[in-house]
Amino acid sequence: MKTRILDDAFLTRLAREHGTPLWVYDATVIAARVASLRAFDVIRYAQKANSNLAILRLMRSLGAELDAVSAGEVARGLAAGFARDEIVFTADLFDRAALACVVETGVRVNLGSMFMIDDYGKACPGREVMLRINPGFGHGHTRKVQTGGEASKHGIWHVEIPAAIERAHKYGLRVTGLHVHIGSGSDFEHLTYVCDAVGNLAQHFGRDLSVISAGGGLPVPYGAQDDPFDVERYSETWLATRDRIAHELGRKLQVEVEPGRFLVAESGCLLTEVRGTKHSGPIEYVLVDAGFNDLLRPAMYGSLHQISALGRTASAPAKPRVVAGPLCESGDVFTQGPGGELMPQMLPDVVQGDILCVHDTGAYGASMSSNYNARPFAAEVLVTDGVARVVRARQTVEQMLENESSGGPL
Ligand SMILES: *Cc1c(COP(=O)(O)O)cnc(C)c1O
């Protein structure tokens, strides 16, 4: 089990005080992750990993800029105090709300499809844009997060770059940025390949190119055996790429990194109360009050999140146990693999009222929650220098029903 800054007694107190399920984030961890990427010219936080306003304000105070993928995320960024030129909108289509939003707010756009150039060019001729390119290959930790290659919907196909630039110029758009986000992970051989490809792609961009973006996809060591990410080697590889391309093109270039998960995953945990235990044949079940309505990743991707029982010493006798939630859905299990196979974790004996801690859930946790089974959104707490603050109150049942209650009689 990895070392944790927030200790068991502190977390247990938070669970008792605020109820469960409860998301807890540690600002110290986020600050350390941002600091580790300082070598980049711009750190652009991909807020879809965790878009709580308090987290966004924290990112801003740490000097990060922001990526937004919807009109709602642009609104969150502005509400958190980001200036419009600190926000980039990235997508593969404009829904009507998003197009209206970028036209009105003037945030920069990063276009991932050819038809978006027409949508945007007609509405905002003469502005500046970035192009998200699919270089023809990808890398991701599961098929559902493959972000490059023929099987990905993301980006403008690399062969179309000259046509895309020509089309942008037709509207007087200046193409200032080249963006790739293909989840290169910690595979440095693959990263070299990505950087070479970016160098080649950059040759097709015109005189206005001033930014290359490495995208996100920096990995997080979710498993006890996973090595921490070599962030220095990653940074050095991209800075060298920037310098090489700048030299070839004979002009100054900036390099951006756009992480979501890496900045927030390890800052967060999900606290959930044990409501009972049972066994079915040889399988031991621990049933808790959080479900995939709260944390979707295990059910959606078979993602691993280590689970520990707060206040139970590591030396207590442990058994393999399946941890499952309250939803009327057999996939509502936190300990499963990508194919839905049960992957029990070693846990000590627990009883009703014990608190389990689901680790490394600061990214794609609360932001992917739903109201499935009519369960309200859980509360979120941010801990700064040992002081805990509720940054999102638990949703009430009334709030959940709000938009349905004025329909009048049947
Ligand atoms: C999701 C996303 C990211 C962040 O991905 P992580 O794996 O969380 O780092 C970065 N850029 C874009 C455009 C994205 O859609």
Side-chain angles (χ1 to χ4, degrees):
M1 187 61 54
K2 284 186 281 187
T3 52
R4 279 175 286 128
I5 295 174
L6 304 182
D7 65 18
D8 282 18
F10 187 84
L11 290 173
T12 305
R13 225 169 342 106
L14 289 180
R16 300 284 177 239
E17 189 177 332
H18 301 288
T20 51
L22 183 70
W23 302 99
V24 181
Y25 313 118
D26 182 353
T28 324
V29 175
I30 295 174
R33 293 299 175 277
V34 171
S36 74
L37 287 168
R38 274 279 137 76
F40 282 88
D41 298 307
V42 175
I43 302 168
R44 184 172 302 290
Y45 173 51
Q47 67 170 295
K48 72 180 193 279
N50 187 328
S51 57
N52 185 291
L53 286 180
I55 300 284
L56 300 188
R57 287 194 195 100
L58 174 63
M59 290 295 178
R60 184 165 176 273
S61 76
L62 296 168
E65 298 193 9
L66 201 62
D67 182 63
V69 297
S70 68
E73 285 197 354
V74 172
R76 281 185 172 278
L78 295 171
F82 284 94
R84 61 182 195 145
D85 64 356
E86 293 171 329
I87 303 175
V88 167
F89 173 87
T90 296
D92 296 293
L93 60 88
F94 285 116
D95 59 40
R96 290 177 190 275
L99 187 57
C101 167
V102 296
V103 170
E104 191 181 318
T105 59
V107 302
R108 222 177 338 144
V109 297
N110 179 22
L111 308 175
S113 299
M114 287 291 270
F115 60 81
M116 292 178 85
I117 301 174
D118 298 309
D119 289 343
Y120 192 70
K122 283 176 196 155
C124 305
R127 282 199 198 164
E128 168 189 344
V129 299
M130 302 178 67
L131 299 181
R132 177 176 182 172
I133 304 300
N134 179 342
F137 58 90
H139 211 266
H141 57 86
T142 79
R143 189 189 56 77
K144 286 185 191 159
V145 296
Q146 278 287 347
T147 46
E150 292 175 1
S152 165
K153 68 170 181 172
H154 297 297
I156 293 172
W157 190 242
H158 56 107
V159 176
E160 295 190 293
I161 293 176
I165 306 247
E166 196 184 309
R167 196 175 302 187
H169 286 168
K170 197 177 102 189
Y171 297 103
L173 298 172
R174 288 187 304 121
V175 183
T176 56
L178 160 58
H179 178 281
V180 289
H181 167 67
I182 59 172
S184 47
S186 48
D187 178 345
F188 282 97
E189 199 179 318
H190 184 258
L191 182 61
T192 313
Y193 195 47
V194 173
C195 288
D196 286 348
V198 169
N200 293 331
L201 298 175
Q203 309 302 322
H204 300 284
F205 275 66
R207 59 192 180 281
D208 296 323
L209 185 69
S210 60
V211 181
I212 55 172
S213 172
L218 289 69
V220 161
Y222 287 109
Q225 275 80 38
D226 296 349
D227 292 325
F229 179 54
D230 189 346
V231 64
E232 244 170 78
R233 185 169 170 193
Y234 179 82
S235 306
E236 280 164 13
T237 308
W238 275 109
L239 295 194
T241 301
R242 173 198 64 188
D243 293 344
R244 184 163 48 78
I245 300 173
H247 180 74
E248 283 164 8
L249 300 182
R251 83 175 75 107
K252 255 178 93 72
L253 273 187
Q254 288 207 321
V255 63
E256 292 192 3
V257 67
E258 196 177 65
R261 176 190 321 281
F262 176 78
L263 297 182
V264 290
E266 293 163 283
S267 78
C269 63
L270 174 62
L271 303 182
T272 179
E273 187 186 15
V274 174
R275 296 306 303 159
T277 61
K278 66 180 183 184
H279 53 99
S280 299
I283 310 281
E284 302 273 349
Y285 285 90
V286 178
L287 297 179
V288 298
D289 66 359
F292 76 59
N293 57 305
D294 300 296
L295 176 65
L296 183 61
R297 298 188 73 248
M300 177 119 165
Y301 308 113
S303 307
L304 168 70
H305 287 281
Q306 295 183 69
I307 300 175
S308 62
L310 296 183
R312 303 271 170 187
T313 55
S315 57
K319 272 195 215 161
R321 299 179 204 268
V322 170
V323 178
L327 303 182
C328 293
E329 189 82 50
S330 48
D332 185 26
V333 167
F334 289 121
T335 50
Q336 61 178 306
E341 67 281 16
L342 295 180
M343 297 188 56
Q345 290 193 28
M346 296 303 284
L347 280 169
D349 287 338
V350 288
V351 296
Q352 186 174 83
D354 275 335
I355 304 294
L356 298 191
C357 177
V358 187
H359 294 270
D360 303 328
T361 51
Y364 306 105
S367 69
M368 289 181 102
S369 294
S370 75
N371 282 139
Y372 188 49
N373 276 208
R375 289 181 173 272
F377 293 125
E380 296 171 67
V381 165
L382 176 64
V383 182
T384 311
D385 298 329
V387 179
R389 188 162 51 95
V390 176
V391 292
R392 186 191 199 186
R394 189 174 302 283
Q395 189 184 32
T396 64
V397 171
E398 293 69 37
Q399 289 167 338
M400 191 169 61
L401 302 185
E402 209 164 58
N403 286 352
E404 299 169 48
S405 53
S406 58
L410 277 179

